[in-house]
């Protein structure tokens, strides 16, 4: 019997569906519950606080969502730390522990508990034997609950050889591993994510924690290959010794589209329609999570909207934002004082004059700071003479060297004497003792 909250949620979704159908019948455009919220977080601040207008925010239905880059930077969050159900996204952690504790060619045997778990399965039967790698495919491609229990029992025995409850040992390890990853809102109670009937309980997680799990899982080549695989078959040996194949259909309807390189769905009445995805466009890998979307199609529409929003606001800018050139035709970044003289500077350019930086256009103003080295003695073209740092919203975006783009010799003895006399006069007149360094370039405009 389903819980009361489950029934209430499903009733609300049904009411929404009827309302949408009526709107469509009346000729009014409508898409599920998709909405723009200016209270959503963009790079650590609300859209309202950043002055971001609705047309620059993703239009999604999910009640909880996040966009996180490969380095852990969070670009977008909607109630991303709220503790909710994540259904079969749980299996990402099951895969992490399996990969960390097993070789892919290890053999596993399907127990009665695994074969009879029901719901979404990989079609495994009691007594079937298959490799860990094949079981992982059954776990991640068709979201097999049977494969989840097979792996939990196998890995649980490896973690605690004397355990009397291998699955419980595995679940305990799942929770410990989650804490190690920095998941602060996660509690697992089983290896598959079912949350009703005999599996009902207090299991929960957050969009942020789900992204951390996906980030960790994608460090594994084995995981990456499986979630990106078009191979929908696994080979098993039955209890009678005969070999047979199982055909599986992936639940990731976005696989291979617009940079999608994998993902994991999850669906129960309490969790709604969930999906965590990995994207890579032009070498920029990022992870999205949507929890409690209202329909199967909507979770994929939400995911695509988040990915397109993120990549659509990544812009590439030239670091050298200046119209002035050195004598060699390179962008003039600064004129840096040659401190052995009272009136000479060295033209400085970037170590790579064509260098570019990738900026997220909604993350705030870009600022520039140029540091000058103390230039004494002879300076040659290509010598490091300083550095340039770009920050966006106080966070470093890039640090690069400045180099001399002209020769500058130090004074000979007679010139040094003249410099001394000039400085004596300058002290008396309270003037600078050397030419002042000057930054010519400005911060790139976003």
């Amino acid at each position: 019997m389903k819980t009361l909250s489950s029934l209430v949620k499903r009733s609300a979704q049904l009411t929404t569906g009827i309302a949408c159908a009526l709107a469509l019948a009346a000729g009014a455009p409508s898409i599920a519950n998709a909405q723009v919220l200016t209270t959503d977080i963009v790079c650590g601040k609300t859209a309202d606080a950043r002055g971001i207008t609705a047309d620059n925010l993703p239009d999604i239905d999910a009640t909880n969502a996040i966009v996180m880059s490969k380095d852990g930077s969070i670009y977008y969050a909607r109630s991303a730390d709220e503790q909710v159900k994540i259904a079969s996204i749980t299996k990402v952690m099951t895969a992490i522990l399996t990969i960390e504790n097993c070789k892919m060619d290890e053999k596993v045997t399907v127990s009665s508990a695994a074969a009879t778990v029901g719901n979404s399965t990989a079609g495994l039967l009691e007594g079937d034997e298959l490799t860990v790698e094949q079981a992982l495919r059954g776990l991640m491609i068709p979201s097999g609950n049977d494969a989840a229990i097979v792996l939990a029992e196998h890995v649980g025995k490896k973690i605690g050889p004397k355990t009397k409850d291998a699955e419980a040992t595995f679940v305990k390890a799942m929770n410990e591993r989650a804490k190690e990853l920095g998941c602060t809102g996660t509690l697992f109670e089983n290896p598959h994510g079912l949350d009703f009937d005999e599996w009902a309980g207090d299991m929960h997680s957050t969009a942020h924690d789900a992204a951390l799990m996906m980030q960790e899982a994608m460090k594994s080549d084995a995981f990456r290959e499986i979630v990106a695989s078009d191979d929908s078959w696994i080979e098993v040996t039955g209890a009678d010794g005969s070999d047979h194949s199982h055909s599986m259909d992936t639940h990731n309807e976005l696989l291979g589209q617009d940079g999608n390189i994998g993902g994991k769905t999850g669906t129960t009445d309490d969790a709604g329609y969930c999906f965590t995805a990995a994207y890579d466009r032009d070498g920029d890998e990022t992870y999205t999570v949507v929890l409690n979307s209202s329909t199967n199609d909507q979770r994929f529409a939400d995911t695509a909207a988040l990915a397109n929003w993120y990549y659509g606001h990544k812009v590439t800018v030239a670091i050298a934002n200046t119209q002035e050139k050195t004598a060699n035709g390179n962008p003039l970044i600064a004129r840096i004082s040659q401190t052995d003289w009272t009136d000479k500077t060295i033209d400085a350019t970037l170590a790579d004059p064509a260098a570019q930086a990738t900026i997220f256009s909604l993350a705030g103003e870009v600022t520039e700071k140029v540091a000058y080295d103390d230039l004494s003695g002879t300076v040659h073209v290509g010598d490091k003479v300083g550095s340039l740092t770009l920050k966006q919203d106080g966070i470093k975006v890039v640090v690069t060297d400045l180099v001399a783009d002209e020769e500058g010799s130090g004074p000979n003895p007679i010139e040094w004497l003249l410099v001394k006399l000039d400085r004596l006069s300058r002290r008396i007149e309270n003037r600078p003792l050397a030419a002042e360094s000057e930054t010519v370039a400005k911060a790139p405009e976003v």
Side-chain angles (χ1 to χ4, degrees):
M1 183 174 181
K2 306 296 185 191
T3 64
L4 179 59
S5 63
S6 165
L7 293 172
V8 169
K9 179 179 293 185
R10 193 50 65 203
S11 296
Q13 290 174 349
L14 178 60
T15 300
T16 299
I18 293 171
C20 290
L22 291 173
L24 287 170
S30 176
I31 275 188
N33 296 325
Q35 58 184 325
V36 173
L37 299 177
T38 55
T39 52
D40 289 344
I41 306 297
V42 177
C43 298
K45 298 179 183 178
T46 66
D48 277 332
R50 289 195 177 278
I52 298 173
T53 56
D55 57 342
N56 277 309
L57 291 171
D59 189 3
I60 63 170
D61 165 60
T63 58
N64 311 84
I66 199 168
V67 178
M68 189 178 84
S69 67
K70 190 175 183 179
D71 68 5
S73 298
I74 298 172
Y75 286 86
Y76 172 85
R78 173 181 290 182
S79 299
D81 292 317
E82 180 185 4
Q83 294 180 2
V84 294
K85 308 293 188 184
I86 63 169
S88 285
I89 290 178
T90 296
K91 294 180 175 110
V92 175
M93 179 56 77
T94 299
I96 290 172
L97 275 183
T98 299
I99 291 167
E100 290 176 345
N101 286 279
C102 299
K103 294 179 180 179
M104 292 298 100
D105 60 356
E106 288 179 28
K107 297 287 188 176
V108 297
T109 302
V110 179
S111 67
S112 173
T116 58
V117 63
N119 294 281
S120 177
T121 76
L124 302 178
L125 302 175
E126 183 177 356
D128 281 352
E129 185 181 77
L130 64 164
T131 65
V132 165
E133 190 262 348
Q134 293 289 291
L136 280 169
R137 289 184 179 277
L139 178 79
M140 297 304 298
I141 296 174
S143 195
N145 297 322
D146 46 2
I149 293 181
V150 168
L151 292 170
E153 291 174 341
H154 180 74
V155 178
K157 291 174 185 176
K158 297 190 73 172
I159 293 173
K162 297 181 180 180
T163 183
K164 294 182 179 179
D165 189 338
E167 184 177 336
T169 298
F170 182 83
V171 172
K172 180 182 178 182
M174 291 172 72
N175 287 309
E176 291 171 351
R177 190 70 180 96
K179 290 179 180 178
E180 291 173 0
L181 293 179
C183 299
T184 59
T186 293
L187 175 65
F188 295 114
E189 294 188 344
N190 59 54
H192 40 65
L194 294 175
D195 57 21
F196 53 87
D197 295 341
E198 67 263 41
W199 302 287
D202 188 36
M203 69 281 286
H204 54 258
S205 189
T206 70
H208 187 191
D209 288 359
L212 290 173
M213 289 181 244
M214 193 65 175
Q215 176 194 40
E216 182 66 19
M218 290 296 286
K219 293 177 183 178
S220 162
D221 289 341
F223 183 89
R224 295 175 74 92
E225 192 278 326
I226 288 170
V227 296
S229 176
D230 291 328
D231 181 5
S232 60
W233 295 85
I234 58 172
E235 304 290 335
V236 303
T237 299
D240 61 359
S242 62
D243 294 334
H244 50 99
S245 300
H246 287 269
S247 175
M248 305 180 300
D249 294 324
T250 181
H251 291 188
N252 179 4
E253 296 180 10
L254 297 178
L255 184 61
Q257 300 176 27
D258 300 320
N260 182 273
I261 55 174
K264 183 69 195 76
T265 57
T267 311
T268 64
D269 283 353
D270 282 352
Y273 291 86
C274 307
F275 187 49
T276 178
Y279 277 85
D280 189 335
R281 296 186 191 176
D282 299 322
D284 182 6
E285 187 167 310
T286 193
Y287 314 113
T288 64
V289 179
V290 295
L291 305 178
N292 193 29
S293 290
S294 57
T295 68
N296 179 60
D297 288 346
Q298 190 63 50
R299 69 173 151 198
F300 296 119
D302 285 352
T303 297
L306 288 177
N308 290 334
W309 174 84
Y310 168 76
Y311 289 112
H313 286 94
K314 293 300 285 283
V315 295
T316 300
V317 295
I319 296 176
N321 183 28
T322 175
Q323 299 301 313
E324 295 191 47
K325 301 288 186 182
T326 67
N328 294 326
N330 291 314
L332 177 63
I333 304 299
R335 299 182 181 94
I336 302 179
S337 176
Q338 194 173 7
T339 54
D340 287 342
W341 298 91
T342 58
D343 59 354
K344 291 187 178 182
T345 60
I346 294 294
D347 284 355
T349 190
L350 296 174
D352 176 7
Q356 296 179 319
T358 300
I359 305 292
F360 191 69
S361 64
L362 301 179
E365 181 184 7
V366 178
T367 58
E368 173 188 86
K369 181 179 180 180
V370 174
Y372 313 114
D373 291 350
D374 182 14
L375 306 186
S376 60
T378 299
V379 178
H380 297 291
V381 172
D383 286 351
K384 180 182 176 298
V385 293
S387 64
L388 182 149
T389 301
L390 294 182
K391 290 185 177 181
Q392 187 176 31
D393 207 25
I395 299 173
K396 285 183 182 178
V397 175
V398 67
V399 179
T400 187
D401 287 343
L402 299 182
V403 298
D405 209 31
E406 63 176 328
E407 296 288 324
S409 60
N412 61 37
I414 294 176
E415 290 169 331
W416 180 242
L417 179 60
L418 294 174
V419 168
K420 287 286 191 181
L421 292 173
D422 188 17
R423 283 190 172 150
L424 178 60
S425 172
R426 287 170 175 265
R427 284 192 178 94
I428 294 171
E429 297 172 2
N430 197 28
R431 291 188 293 142
L433 302 182
E436 294 186 3
S437 297
E438 172 193 13
T439 298
V440 176
K442 306 295 182 184
E445 295 182 359
V446 179

